[in-house]
Every structure is written in C-alpha cells, then in structure tokens.
Amino acid sequence: QLQLVESGGGLVQPGGSLRLYCTASGFTLDYYAIGWFRQAPGKEREGVLSISRSGSSTNHADSVKGRFTISRDNVKNTVYLQMNSLRPEDTAVYFCAAKSEDRRWYVPRLSPLEYEYWGQGTQVTVSS
C-alpha cells in the first residue's frame, strides 16, 4: 500500500528554522512529483511548494518565497521542506502529497486536486 509519512514538525520560536521530511513506503518517489501543503485551523488547505520528479523545477507560494525551499533525494526516497525565518502565521499541519507524472521536468501546480496520495501531516507551531 502506498504511504507517505511526514516528520520533523514541532514547536519553534519566531525567526527559527525547521526541516520537514516526506518519506514513502510501498513505492519509490522517483516516479512522482511532490507537493507540500499546510492547513491551519479553520482555514483551507494551502499549497506551499512543489517539485518535479527530477528536482530541477520547483513552484512556490508567494507567502513563503525566500524563506522556504523544497528539495529531494530520490536515492533516499525523501523530499525535504526547509523552513527558515518562521512566523506565527506559518503555524499549521503540514502535508506532503504525491502526483504520478511521466515527465521528469514537470512541476505541478499548488492545487490539492492535482495530487493522488497524501500523508497524515505533521504539526508545526511557531510561537514564543
């Protein structure tokens, strides 16, 4: 069974950094483009960053530009979300999602509808 698992969340002070991990079991991430999403209480799920299968192309939301980066290591079957300069408004549950894709260079939009598989999420809380 295809499973995505997020990890690395926690409590961090404003201005701090966290690195989230998205790993897969039951399949290799090499065949999937990956997106990171987040959902705060009472809000809709929001796309944060996405990355192509090759890792050469990414897409990002304006709210995280210059602060968050996405990368992947297909050998380790892991996708990373590096979050710097965190703000209280970044507090949310963060999800990774996978989209099967033939084109290695294609980077999906940040729309939840494009993705087929989802993890259970990891909580990120930014607070002093």
Side-chain angles (χ1 to χ4, degrees), residues 4-21:
L4 291 170
V5 179
E6 303 92 340
S7 60
L11 173 64
V12 62
Q13 292 187 342
S17 297
L18 276 178
R19 195 180 205 194
L20 303 185
Y21 303 82

Side-chain angles (χ1 to χ4, degrees), residues 49-67:
L49 283 158
S50 58
I51 190 167
S52 63
R53 285 179 54 197
S54 67
S56 60
S57 300
T58 62
N59 192 12
H60 64 269
D62 289 342
S63 58
V64 302
K65 184 178 180 180
R67 301 188 299 123

Side-chain angles (χ1 to χ4, degrees), residues 43-114:
K43 294 189 176 181
E44 292 188 354
R45 192 165 294 191
E46 172 193 19
V48 178
L49 283 158
S50 58
I51 190 167
S52 63
R53 285 179 54 197
S54 67
S56 60
S57 300
T58 62
N59 192 12
H60 64 269
D62 289 342
S63 58
V64 302
K65 184 178 180 180
R67 301 188 299 123
F68 292 11
T69 56
I70 187 171
S71 60
R72 66 191 298 160
D73 186 334
N74 288 337
V75 173
K76 295 183 178 180
N77 217 29
T78 302
V79 176
Y80 308 95
L81 179 63
Q82 179 67 43
M83 304 186 295
N84 300 326
S85 302
L86 282 160
R87 305 166 180 168
E89 53 265 37
D90 295 319
T91 295
V93 178
Y94 283 72
F95 301 87
C96 66
K99 169 184 166 49
S100 61
E101 179 57 56
D102 292 334
R103 297 163 292 182
R104 290 187 57 81
W105 51 266
Y106 178 76
V107 55
R109 295 178 302 157
L110 295 172
S111 169
L113 297 176
E114 292 225 357

